[in-house]
Amino acid sequence: MMDLVNRGYIKWQGLSYFNFILATTLLILISLIPFAVLLEYLNISDDEVGGIDSDNYTPISLFLMAVVFAPILETLFLQAFPIKLLQGFLKRKYEILVILFSSVLFALMHFGYSSWYSLLTFPTGIILAKSYIIFQQRNESSFWITTSIHSLRNLIAVVFILLEK
């Protein structure tokens, strides 16, 4: 089983930009399933989980905020800066600590919605941080790849929010 996971991981790392963005966005969505099941089991309502109050935004402003501005700013301040800062101190060793630090910052940044929402964002933070590092190691556009993954994930959420209205 571990061999299959390792082969999948190696294949994932080598994907082209477009395929990496799609596969990683799908991975993020899949990573939410156990948390959704847990929240359902604990009988935690959507109101308790929280999230963006879409009633305060027009569809265009919601799109701009969630799909354009938030991914750019969050990639900058929650992946790029912290990852590069820690890599400077740790000399690119202890990758897991770098990923965890970035992921905790990512989750804490979403704590304003609720503690449950923050918990839900933690796996996304891990995947975004790892994506950033993968493309950093490939000497390719780690910032824009990570931003694109985040944007696509948020676009999917915005589409569902708008469909509910």
Side-chain angles (χ1 to χ4, degrees):
M1 179 66 170
M2 279 308 282
D3 188 46
L4 180 64
V5 171
N6 285 334
R7 282 186 292 165
Y9 175 72
I10 290 167
K11 185 169 181 150
W12 175 59
Q13 286 183 303
L15 291 173
S16 67
Y17 292 133
F18 183 75
N19 290 338
F20 188 90
I21 292 166
L22 290 179
T24 305
T25 302
L26 181 60
L27 180 62
I28 287 171
L29 296 174
I30 291 169
S31 76
L32 297 175
I33 293 171
F35 291 94
V37 170
L38 175 66
L39 293 173
E40 186 69 28
Y41 177 77
L42 295 174
N43 205 23
I44 306 296
S45 71
D46 288 346
D47 290 337
E48 290 176 274
V49 173
I52 193 166
D53 186 3
S54 61
D55 293 335
N56 292 335
Y57 299 93
T58 66
I60 292 172
S61 64
L62 179 63
F63 174 84
L64 288 173
M65 187 194 70
V67 179
V68 178
F69 298 121
I72 290 171
L73 292 173
E74 290 180 8
T75 300
L76 184 63
F77 292 111
L78 305 175
Q79 280 93 38
F81 286 164
I83 288 171
K84 287 181 181 180
L85 179 70
L86 275 182
Q87 285 174 334
F89 287 123
L90 301 175
K91 305 294 185 236
R92 293 190 184 252
K93 294 179 186 176
Y94 309 107
E95 182 179 291
I96 191 71
L97 292 176
V98 173
I99 291 170
L100 286 174
F101 181 72
S102 173
S103 303
V104 167
L105 286 179
F106 189 80
L108 289 174
M109 183 67 174
H110 294 87
F111 192 80
Y113 295 123
S114 77
S115 55
W116 292 112
Y117 194 86
S118 184
L119 178 66
L120 277 170
T121 62
F122 184 72
T124 300
I126 291 172
I127 295 167
L128 291 173
K130 183 60 183 172
S131 298
Y132 186 91
I133 291 170
I134 286 170
F135 275 82
Q136 189 183 50
Q137 290 168 345
R138 286 172 52 167
N139 291 320
E140 297 181 41
S141 186
S142 54
F143 178 84
W144 290 112
I145 291 296
T146 306
T147 299
S148 297
I149 295 163
H150 194 160
S151 292
L152 181 57
R153 186 263 176 252
N154 285 2
L155 175 63
I156 293 166
V158 166
V159 167
F160 279 99
I161 289 169
L162 294 176
L163 287 174
E164 284 182 356
K165 287 187 171 190

